[in-house]
Amino acid sequence: MTDIPPPPLAGVVGWPIGHSRSPVLHGHWLSRYRIKGYYIPIGLRPQDFEDGIRSLPRLGFRGVNLTIPFKETILSMADSISDRAALIGAANTLVFREDGSIYADNTDGIGFLESVRSSAPYWSPKSGPALVIGAGGAARAIVSALLTAGVPEVRLANRTRTKAEMLKEHFGARVTQIDWERASEAAAGAAIIVNTTALGMVGKPPLNFGFEHAAPNAVVVDIVYTPLETEFLKRAAECGLHVVDGVGMLLHQAVPGFESWFGVRPEVDEELRNAVLSA
Ligand code: ATR
């Protein structure tokens, strides 16, 4: 009798976990590439997180994605951490090595960049300053990726000033702080304008932002994808600006994890986008 190797497993760990679209996304790729593996949502209570994660490699998991509230806590447990995860201070992708050690990476920032590049190929980090609205976890990943890619200046506007100051302190001289009330004015000369807050999401108020100062070739990005067309993007489109919705970042951030766990570099395309949006 020949030994049949167990199917490769991966998943997403969070608490609560019900809302995650990652199982649909990875499930679509698994069937597209005819891989006999599984991607499973795993709800772990915070008090069970460490033991739970440590048991996964023994159960056949090759790695997992992490979501709220574990993206920061994993860093003290991981055996090795990518430079970008260390810089962001959070990880969203774990790879379990054959020796049982845990490698933690953060693909949110490159997911963001890939999403913008594929939608607006004329944009480059060298195109000019970026205006980033918000200073939470998503902003950390995006600011970090923009600076690493070579953006000359990141203008940061956040309702709570001290949080923007902390980011400026962390990322250094290329970050400039903008008063929340004057965020719209800071769009002048920006090559890219990004909403990283949850404002505009279903159930939240819209982000009140005017594009009258924005350059005509500015790219406007929202990380919110429920709804797909936020008030922020609607206003930008009405001003003739190129808009990038939040689904692209979700899709592109998933690529490195899938490749590490299942050995195929998956394509991000319209079919995947439709599958995730209709789930
Ligand atoms: P995430 O990890 O998704 O980025 P977060 O770390 O909680 O979430 O950050 C949320 C961001 O949205 C913050 O920049 C927050 O601003 P504050 O630092 O002032 O809290 C911003 N945000 C949330 N609700 C907001 C609101 N009603 N008005 C303005 N900004 C808001």
Side-chain angles (χ1 to χ4, degrees):
M1 208 176 81
T2 50
D3 276 346
I4 299 168
L9 303 179
V12 54
V13 176
W15 186 261
I17 195 62
H19 65 281
S20 174
R21 301 221 185 183
S22 293
V24 173
L25 203 175
H26 287 273
H28 182 87
W29 279 332
L30 285 169
S31 66
R32 181 188 294 186
Y33 298 110
R34 299 181 196 287
I35 297 168
K36 291 190 170 47
Y38 298 92
Y39 184 97
I40 302 161
I42 303 166
L44 280 180
R45 289 176 305 172
Q47 61 269 36
D48 299 328
F49 178 67
E50 179 152 4
D51 286 347
I53 287 289
R54 294 210 185 279
S55 68
L56 291 176
R58 276 180 269 126
L59 295 170
F61 280 80
R62 296 187 175 177
V64 286
N65 287 125
L66 294 178
T67 184
I68 291 166
F70 302 127
K71 288 173 128 180
E72 283 97 19
T73 43
I74 188 63
L75 293 190
S76 59
M77 264 180 73
D79 299 291
S80 54
I81 300 169
S82 69
D83 290 345
R84 59 194 182 201
L87 189 61
I88 295 164
N92 70 337
T93 304
L94 302 185
V95 177
F96 303 141
R97 305 280 197 217
E98 293 211 348
D99 63 2
S101 64
I102 299 173
Y103 170 70
D105 190 14
N106 194 316
T107 64
D108 283 333
I110 51 151
F112 167 80
L113 287 180
E114 285 302 313
S115 168
V116 176
R117 282 187 179 128
S118 61
S119 169
Y122 65 89
W123 176 82
S124 112
K126 305 275 180 332
S127 301
L131 171 60
V132 173
I133 301 154
R140 280 179 87 89
I142 289 168
V143 170
S144 175
L146 287 168
L147 291 173
T148 304
V151 164
E153 179 196 359
V154 173
R155 301 170 183 167
L156 197 60
N158 193 53
R159 175 184 61 176
T160 308
R161 210 183 151 76
T162 47
K163 263 170 95 181
E165 272 160 14
M166 276 161 60
L167 249 73
K168 178 170 171 47
E169 217 161 276
H170 183 73
F171 288 112
R174 276 187 290 153
V175 177
T176 52
Q177 201 171 333
I178 305 294
D179 286 341
W180 180 245
E181 294 73 23
R182 313 195 75 161
S184 295
E185 290 164 48
I192 183 165
I193 302 165
V194 191
N195 172 38
T196 73
T197 75
L199 292 174
M201 198 185 274
V202 173
K204 307 242 180 206
L207 172 60
N208 189 15
F209 189 91
F211 291 93
E212 61 277 12
H213 299 281
N217 58 349
V219 179
V220 179
V221 193
D222 204 332
I223 68 158
V224 171
Y225 57 85
T226 46
L228 213 46
E229 197 191 25
T230 57
E231 194 58 40
F232 178 70
L233 291 187
K234 217 182 278 177
R235 284 193 196 174
E238 280 163 11
C239 293
L241 302 172
H242 183 92
V243 300
V244 182
D245 66 45
V247 178
M249 178 174 169
L250 171 74
L251 305 182
H252 284 280
Q253 63 76 34
V255 170
F258 189 91
E259 186 177 16
S260 304
W261 308 321
F262 301 115
V264 174
R265 187 158 182 90
E267 280 294 316
V268 171
D269 57 16
E270 213 44 38
E271 194 189 330
L272 176 75
R273 188 180 151 91
N274 291 338
V276 169
L277 286 174
S278 60

Coordinates of all heavy atoms in Angstrom, one line a residue, residues 129-168:
P129 N 4.0 63.2 -4.2 CA 3.6 63.0 -2.8 C 2.3 62.1 -2.7 O 1.5 62.1 -3.7 CB 3.3 64.4 -2.3 CG 4.0 65.3 -3.2 CD 4.0 64.7 -4.5
A130 N 2.1 61.5 -1.6 CA 0.9 60.7 -1.3 C 0.2 61.4 -0.2 O 0.8 61.9 0.7 CB 1.2 59.3 -0.9
L131 N -1.2 61.5 -0.3 CA -2.0 61.9 0.9 C -2.7 60.7 1.4 O -3.5 60.0 0.7 CB -3.0 63.0 0.4 CG -4.0 63.4 1.4 CD1 -3.4 64.0 2.7 CD2 -5.0 64.4 0.8
V132 N -2.4 60.4 2.7 CA -3.0 59.2 3.3 C -3.9 59.7 4.5 O -3.5 60.5 5.3 CB -1.9 58.3 3.9 CG1 -2.6 57.2 4.7 CG2 -1.1 57.7 2.8
I133 N -5.2 59.3 4.4 CA -6.2 59.7 5.4 C -6.3 58.5 6.4 O -6.7 57.4 6.0 CB -7.5 60.0 4.7 CG1 -7.3 61.2 3.7 CG2 -8.6 60.4 5.7 CD1 -8.2 61.2 2.6
G134 N -6.1 58.8 7.7 CA -6.2 57.7 8.7 C -4.8 57.3 9.2 O -3.8 57.5 8.5
A135 N -4.7 56.8 10.4 CA -3.4 56.5 11.0 C -3.6 55.2 11.8 O -2.9 55.0 12.8 CB -2.9 57.6 11.9
G136 N -4.5 54.3 11.4 CA -4.6 53.0 12.1 C -3.7 51.9 11.5 O -2.7 52.2 10.9
G137 N -4.1 50.7 11.7 CA -3.3 49.5 11.3 C -3.2 49.5 9.8 O -2.1 49.2 9.2
A138 N -4.3 49.8 9.1 CA -4.2 49.7 7.6 C -3.3 50.9 7.1 O -2.5 50.7 6.2 CB -5.6 49.9 7.0
A139 N -3.3 52.0 7.7 CA -2.5 53.1 7.3 C -1.0 52.8 7.5 O -0.2 53.1 6.7 CB -2.8 54.4 8.1
R140 N -0.7 52.1 8.6 CA 0.7 51.7 8.9 C 1.2 50.9 7.7 O 2.4 51.1 7.2 CB 0.8 50.9 10.2 CG 0.8 51.7 11.4 CD 0.9 50.8 12.6 NE 2.3 50.5 12.9 CZ 3.0 51.2 13.8 NH1 2.5 52.3 14.3 NH2 4.3 50.9 14.0
A141 N 0.5 49.9 7.3 CA 0.9 49.0 6.2 C 1.1 49.8 4.9 O 2.0 49.6 4.1 CB -0.1 47.9 6.0
I142 N 0.1 50.7 4.6 CA 0.1 51.5 3.4 C 1.2 52.5 3.4 O 2.0 52.7 2.4 CB -1.3 52.1 3.1 CG1 -2.2 50.9 2.7 CG2 -1.2 53.1 2.0 CD1 -3.7 51.3 2.7
V143 N 1.4 53.2 4.5 CA 2.5 54.2 4.5 C 3.8 53.6 4.4 O 4.7 54.0 3.7 CB 2.4 55.0 5.9 CG1 3.6 55.9 6.1 CG2 1.1 55.9 5.9
S144 N 4.0 52.4 5.1 CA 5.2 51.7 5.0 C 5.5 51.3 3.6 O 6.7 51.4 3.1 CB 5.1 50.5 5.9 OG 6.2 49.7 5.9
A145 N 4.6 50.7 2.9 CA 4.8 50.3 1.5 C 5.1 51.5 0.6 O 6.0 51.4 -0.3 CB 3.5 49.5 1.0
L146 N 4.4 52.6 0.8 CA 4.6 53.7 -0.1 C 6.0 54.3 0.1 O 6.7 54.6 -0.9 CB 3.6 54.9 0.2 CG 2.2 54.6 -0.3 CD1 1.2 55.6 0.4 CD2 2.1 54.7 -1.8
L147 N 6.5 54.4 1.4 CA 7.8 54.9 1.6 C 8.9 53.9 1.1 O 9.8 54.3 0.5 CB 8.0 55.1 3.2 CG 7.2 56.3 3.7 CD1 7.3 56.3 5.3 CD2 7.6 57.6 3.2
T148 N 8.7 52.6 1.4 CA 9.6 51.6 0.9 C 9.7 51.7 -0.6 O 10.8 51.5 -1.2 CB 9.2 50.2 1.4 OG1 9.1 50.3 2.8 CG2 10.3 49.2 1.0
A149 N 8.6 51.9 -1.3 CA 8.6 51.9 -2.8 C 9.2 53.2 -3.3 O 9.5 53.3 -4.5 CB 7.2 51.8 -3.3
G150 N 9.4 54.2 -2.5 CA 10.2 55.4 -2.9 C 9.3 56.7 -3.1 O 9.8 57.6 -3.7
V151 N 8.1 56.7 -2.5 CA 7.3 57.9 -2.6 C 8.1 59.1 -1.8 O 8.6 58.9 -0.7 CB 5.9 57.7 -1.9 CG1 5.2 59.0 -1.6 CG2 5.1 56.8 -2.8
P152 N 8.2 60.2 -2.5 CA 9.0 61.3 -1.9 C 8.4 61.9 -0.6 O 9.2 62.3 0.3 CB 9.0 62.4 -2.9 CG 7.9 62.1 -3.8 CD 7.6 60.6 -3.8
E153 N 7.1 61.9 -0.4 CA 6.5 62.5 0.8 C 5.2 61.8 1.0 O 4.4 61.6 0.1 CB 6.3 64.0 0.6 CG 5.6 64.7 1.7 CD 5.1 66.1 1.4 OE1 5.2 66.5 0.2 OE2 4.5 66.7 2.2
V154 N 4.9 61.5 2.3 CA 3.5 61.0 2.7 C 2.9 62.0 3.6 O 3.4 62.3 4.7 CB 3.6 59.6 3.4 CG1 2.2 59.3 3.9 CG2 4.1 58.6 2.4
R155 N 1.8 62.6 3.1 CA 1.1 63.6 3.9 C 0.0 62.8 4.7 O -0.8 62.1 4.1 CB 0.4 64.6 3.0 CG 1.4 65.4 2.2 CD 0.7 66.3 1.2 NE 1.7 66.9 0.3 CZ 1.5 67.6 -0.8 NH1 0.2 67.6 -1.3 NH2 2.4 68.1 -1.5
L156 N 0.0 62.9 6.0 CA -0.8 62.1 6.8 C -1.9 62.9 7.6 O -1.5 63.8 8.3 CB 0.1 61.4 7.8 CG -0.5 60.2 8.5 CD1 -0.9 59.1 7.6 CD2 0.6 59.6 9.5
A157 N -3.2 62.7 7.3 CA -4.2 63.4 8.0 C -5.0 62.4 8.8 O -5.6 61.4 8.3 CB -5.1 64.1 7.0
N158 N -5.1 62.7 10.1 CA -5.9 61.8 11.0 C -6.7 62.6 12.0 O -6.2 63.6 12.5 CB -5.0 60.8 11.8 CG -5.8 59.7 12.4 OD1 -6.5 59.0 11.7 ND2 -5.6 59.5 13.7
R159 N -7.9 62.1 12.3 CA -8.8 62.9 13.2 C -8.0 63.0 14.6 O -8.0 64.1 15.1 CB -10.1 62.1 13.4 CG -11.0 62.6 14.5 CD -12.2 61.7 14.6 NE -11.8 60.4 15.1 CZ -12.7 59.4 15.4 NH1 -14.0 59.7 15.3 NH2 -12.3 58.2 15.8
T160 N -7.5 62.0 15.1 CA -6.7 62.1 16.4 C -5.3 62.4 16.1 O -4.5 61.5 15.5 CB -6.9 60.8 17.2 OG1 -8.3 60.4 17.2 CG2 -6.3 60.9 18.5
R161 N -4.9 63.6 16.4 CA -3.6 64.1 16.0 C -2.4 63.2 16.5 O -1.4 62.9 15.8 CB -3.4 65.5 16.5 CG -2.6 66.4 15.7 CD -2.4 67.8 16.3 NE -1.1 68.3 15.9 CZ -0.8 68.7 14.7 NH1 -1.8 68.8 13.8 NH2 0.4 69.1 14.3
T162 N -2.6 62.8 17.8 CA -1.4 62.0 18.4 C -1.1 60.7 17.7 O 0.0 60.3 17.6 CB -1.8 61.7 19.9 OG1 -3.1 61.1 19.9 CG2 -1.7 62.9 20.8
K163 N -2.1 60.1 17.1 CA -1.9 58.9 16.4 C -1.1 59.1 15.1 O -0.2 58.3 14.7 CB -3.2 58.2 16.0 CG -3.5 57.1 17.1 CD -4.9 56.5 16.9 CE -5.1 55.3 16.1 NZ -6.6 54.9 16.1
A164 N -1.4 60.2 14.4 CA -0.6 60.6 13.2 C 0.8 60.9 13.7 O 1.8 60.6 13.0 CB -1.2 61.8 12.5
E165 N 1.0 61.6 14.8 CA 2.3 61.9 15.3 C 3.1 60.7 15.6 O 4.3 60.6 15.3 CB 2.2 62.7 16.6 CG 2.1 64.2 16.3 CD 1.5 65.0 17.5 OE1 1.4 64.5 18.6 OE2 1.1 66.2 17.2
M166 N 2.5 59.6 16.1 CA 3.2 58.4 16.4 C 3.7 57.8 15.1 O 4.8 57.2 15.1 CB 2.2 57.4 17.1 CG 2.2 57.6 18.6 SD 0.8 56.9 19.4 CE 1.0 55.2 19.0
L167 N 2.9 57.8 14.1 CA 3.3 57.3 12.8 C 4.4 58.1 12.2 O 5.4 57.5 11.7 CB 2.1 57.3 11.8 CG 1.6 55.9 11.4 CD1 0.9 55.3 12.6 CD2 0.8 55.9 10.2
K168 N 4.4 59.4 12.4 CA 5.4 60.2 11.9 C 6.8 59.9 12.6 O 7.8 59.8 12.0 CB 5.1 61.7 12.0 CG 6.2 62.6 11.6 CD 5.8 64.0 11.5 CE 7.0 64.9 11.2 NZ 7.9 64.4 10.2

